[in-house]
Every structure is written in C-alpha cells, then in structure tokens.
Amino acid sequence: MMILMRLRSLRKIAPLLFLSAHRVSSLSAQQRHHNTQRSLNVYFDSTNNLHRDIRYHPECPERVSVCVNALTAYIAQNTNVGKSISLQDVAQEQAFFSDKELIHARCMLVKAHSENYVEQIERKCRDSKAMRVEEGKDPLGFIGYVDTGDTFLTNETYDVCLRATAAWIRAVDDAISSEDKTEVGFAMTRPPGHHATRSLSNGFCHFNFAAAATLHAIEKGKTVSVLDWDVHYGQGVADILQYEPKARYASLHQYPAFPYEGERRRTSGSLNNIMTIPIAADSTWTCGYKELFETHVLPFMISDKDTEGTNWKPDLILVCAGYDALADDELASVNLEPGDYGKMLTLLEKWISVTYARGSEPGLSFGMEGGYRLQNGGKR
C-alpha cells in the first residue's frame, strides 16, 4: 500500500480528518468563546504489525502506519497546530504503559468479556510462542483463524490487543481527567474491537476496546455515550453495554452488511440504551446520512429530555471512529466524503453547546475501529 505523505493527502485519511487545525482548536463552542485550544494526544503502537495475516487481508498494519506518517507530516508542516498534538508510540519496547496500567487494562477486558474468555486467548498466544521458542523457531508465529476465515490470530495478538486496550483507556482518561475538558484522546490502534461480543471473536475483532474503555469510565463514576460511526454495526458493544445504566450506545451503519444485525431503526435493550440506525447502500451525507445523524443520533446521545422524559447528559462521549463509510472502501458501499466526518463533529459540537451549561461540557475521546481505504481515491 502507498503511504501518503503529503499534506493534501491527509484529508483523504478519515481517522485524521478531525485532527486538522480547525478541528483541534475548536472542538467545542465553549473553547472558541474563551479563545483557548484543545490539546490532542494520539496513541499508536508501532509494533501492531505483530498481529497480521499471512495472506492479503484488508485489516492490515498499514491502516495505522499510513495515518501515523500522514499525521507526522501534517505536524511538521503546521507547527502552530503541531504544538497541541502529541503523537505517542505505545510499543512494548517503549515501556509506555506501566505494569499497573496493563493489569488494569486486562481487568477491564475481563469485565467486558469474562476471565475465561480473556484467559483462553492469552493462553493460546503464550503457549504458541513458548512452543516456537522451544523448537528454535522465530518467536512470532501465525496461529490461525477463529471463525470462518477472516478473524486471525498470531501469538502476539493478545499483547497487541492489551496495549490497544490500555491506549483506549488512556485516551478516555485524557478526556475525563482534564478539569477544563481541553484534552482529547485518540487511540489509533488495531485490530478493531467493536464486533467482539462477551464471548465471541468475530469481524476481525478479539476484544471490545470501546466497551472496556466505557466500563473504565463508569468505574470512575462517569456516564458515557458511545457514538459508533463505523459503517458496520458494533453488535459487540451493544451486547456488552445493553445492561449498563450509565452508558448509551448509538450505531449508524449500513444494512445489509456484516454482521447482518441492527436492521431496524429503534432503541432496544432492557434499559432502552441501545440505538440502531441502519442506512442504505450508496447513501451520501446529503442523501440520508445527515438527517439521520441530526434527528436520531444526537438527541439520543445527549438530551435535556428524551422520549421517556429522561435527562441524559453524559460526562464522556466516546467515538468508535471507523472510517469505512468512505466512498470506495472495499468492505462497504456508503459514499461519505472525508470532510463529512468533520461535519459530524461540527454538528456534535453545536449540539453540545446548546444542551450543556458553559464549563460543564463532556469529555471527548476517539478510538479507531474499521476503515480500509488507504489510498487517495474515491469520489470527491
């Protein structure tokens, strides 16, 4: 895959669309009024390539390296904005996360899934690596597929995913620990996680990072709205959070498409805290997407009073920032343009400004899910 280095190419990489100068400096109306600027912490793992298939697979390490290279170039060419962006490598050899953080990340995975589920994947990876070392082979080895052939496992998958979990949690902490809400955290990690249910790896996902990060925030006494704009329904997040009274989850996704769930526009779950909003193939921002985002997603994510008369103003908005709704993504058929992600954030920003008192706005953090279009292409 071609790595895009030029500044103009940055706007073709959806995960970074909202990291441009005007997005970083004005993610909330309150910040604009006070002429202050948000700082952005981006976490990536340069050793995520230890989790990779042995054949062509769209869920590849280049999904991260393309973004990191483009963001690095952007920072270098925009020094004023670059001062407010911190790009941090969480690779194992960097010893970025403490043992305490990694232990906590595992605890959150157990909370989202189960001890047996987490231990099973961990043991499979550890045992495979130990066997290869004992046999005098390269420690890195491909284990195989855990489903029908698209969710792969190497003997480093567990550790890559554990660091990803810690990165999502750190991004959440950036958002909720900043007293004036001026920090934004972004976990630019792979593999994606939102399809992983309590007990099932699927859809390229082994562990549900969004659910684990949400449960971490709840453990700290926060309420959370999870906005999933990945083009595929994150049925795993819904599965894990449906009984959690301090969380809401909204997914705007193509149907029919994997996982072939979420076919009806409705709220569900015993707490009515799950919203599914299917969109048709070939939808564009102006033809279907924008209206659904404004009239259904935003009022569900944040409301003075919802349809049941409930006031819901979360302390944190966590975005499952898949970018596979872009035109020409090989795994979907929605036709968003890169700038449409910025439009969603602008609408979210405006909605926050009219529903929250100044100074009480929610924290904001992002984590990368799907998105497989790496080259300059697609419709403009």
Side-chain angles (χ1 to χ4, degrees):
M1 300 289 181
M2 180 179 69
I3 294 182
L4 311 178
M5 296 294 293
R6 294 173 295 178
L7 173 60
R8 66 185 179 85
S9 299
L10 178 66
R11 296 188 176 277
K12 289 305 194 181
I13 303 172
L16 304 182
L17 292 172
F18 36 83
L19 310 186
S20 61
H22 68 285
R23 298 293 347 131
V24 175
S25 61
S26 62
L27 276 169
S28 79
Q30 190 266 344
Q31 294 295 321
R32 283 203 309 274
H33 292 324
H34 286 79
N35 195 31
T36 58
Q37 188 178 69
R38 285 191 186 247
S39 62
L40 177 72
N41 301 317
V42 181
Y43 304 101
F44 75 99
D45 183 353
S46 61
T47 55
N48 75 84
N49 63 326
L50 297 176
H51 171 77
R52 63 179 184 269
D53 206 340
I54 54 176
R55 61 188 184 188
Y56 170 73
H57 198 295
E59 206 296 286
C60 59
E62 288 79 7
R63 297 180 58 235
V64 171
S65 60
V66 161
C67 296
V68 169
N69 280 280
L71 182 55
T72 300
Y74 178 80
I75 292 170
Q77 296 180 47
N78 295 267
T79 53
N80 288 336
V81 176
K83 292 176 183 177
S84 64
I85 302 176
S86 175
L87 188 59
Q88 303 184 53
D89 187 355
V90 305
Q92 185 170 8
E93 58 267 24
Q94 303 292 332
F96 185 86
F97 296 119
S98 66
D99 289 344
K100 183 178 179 180
E101 285 180 285
L102 293 174
I103 290 170
H104 176 69
R106 189 186 189 282
C107 288
M108 292 301 99
L109 288 178
V110 168
K111 199 168 184 178
H113 299 282
S114 69
E115 175 62 40
N116 181 64
Y117 179 87
V118 174
E119 184 182 2
Q120 188 176 46
I121 295 175
E122 180 182 15
R123 187 187 306 117
K124 187 176 291 187
C125 292
R126 299 265 190 264
D127 289 352
S128 172
K129 188 173 182 178
M131 183 178 296
R132 290 181 66 86
V133 170
E134 187 177 329
E135 294 172 350
K137 298 178 180 178
D138 186 325
L140 178 62
F142 185 80
I143 295 176
Y145 302 95
V146 298
D147 53 10
T148 56
D150 61 6
T151 306
F152 55 88
L153 195 70
T154 76
N155 55 23
E156 290 287 347
T157 295
Y158 173 78
D159 286 318
V160 169
C161 288
L162 187 64
R163 292 192 293 275
T165 308
W168 279 67
I169 290 173
R170 181 71 75 90
V172 163
D173 280 344
D174 288 342
I176 63 177
S177 300
S178 173
E179 189 172 326
D180 54 3
K181 301 299 195 307
T182 56
E183 284 195 62
V184 176
F186 188 106
M188 191 179 290
T189 57
R190 59 171 291 275
H194 70 154
H195 293 307
T197 67
R198 285 191 179 277
S199 58
L200 180 67
S201 298
N202 70 104
F204 313 160
C205 307
H206 292 285
F207 295 110
N208 203 303
F209 311 124
T214 298
L215 294 172
H216 164 77
I218 291 171
E219 195 173 87
K220 287 198 161 190
K222 307 299 182 182
T223 52
V224 185
S225 279
V226 181
L227 166 59
D228 192 341
W229 65 39
D230 187 290
V231 80
H232 301 101
Y233 174 42
Q235 87 282 16
V237 186
D239 175 58
I240 296 169
L241 297 183
Q242 62 180 317
Y243 304 112
E244 179 48 65
K246 293 187 177 180
R248 284 189 177 187
Y249 170 76
S251 174
L252 192 61
H253 52 269
Q254 179 181 331
Y255 186 86
F258 183 86
Y260 302 99
E261 298 179 32
E263 67 278 9
R264 292 173 53 198
R265 186 192 309 165
R266 63 170 183 166
T267 55
S268 61
S270 61
L271 303 173
N272 286 320
N273 64 336
I274 306 298
M275 174 171 278
T276 51
I277 307 171
I279 56 175
D282 298 321
S283 294
T284 64
W285 176 249
T286 55
C287 184
Y289 206 102
K290 178 177 182 286
E291 180 184 1
L292 290 171
F293 188 77
E294 286 186 296
T295 60
H296 295 283
V297 174
L298 291 177
F300 181 76
M301 301 296 288
I302 304 167
S303 61
D304 281 320
K305 283 191 176 181
D306 59 20
T307 55
E308 297 183 352
T310 302
N311 181 300
W312 178 260
K313 292 184 180 179
D315 302 303
L316 171 71
I317 296 174
L318 172 60
V319 182
C320 291
Y323 57 100
D324 38 8
L326 282 176
D328 289 353
D329 189 281
E330 64 179 284
L331 296 183
S333 306
V334 174
N335 290 323
L336 290 189
E337 295 298 324
D340 295 333
Y341 289 93
K343 293 173 184 175
M344 276 192 276
L345 280 185
T346 297
L347 291 173
L348 175 60
E349 172 186 307
K350 290 179 179 178
W351 191 261
I352 288 172
S353 71
V354 299
T355 53
Y356 285 81
R358 186 173 299 179
S360 66
E361 295 91 343
L364 185 61
S365 89
F366 300 84
M368 191 163 81
E369 293 287 359
Y372 309 97
R373 193 186 96 179
L374 302 181
Q375 298 185 7
N376 261 349
K379 304 169 185 176
R380 295 180 181 271

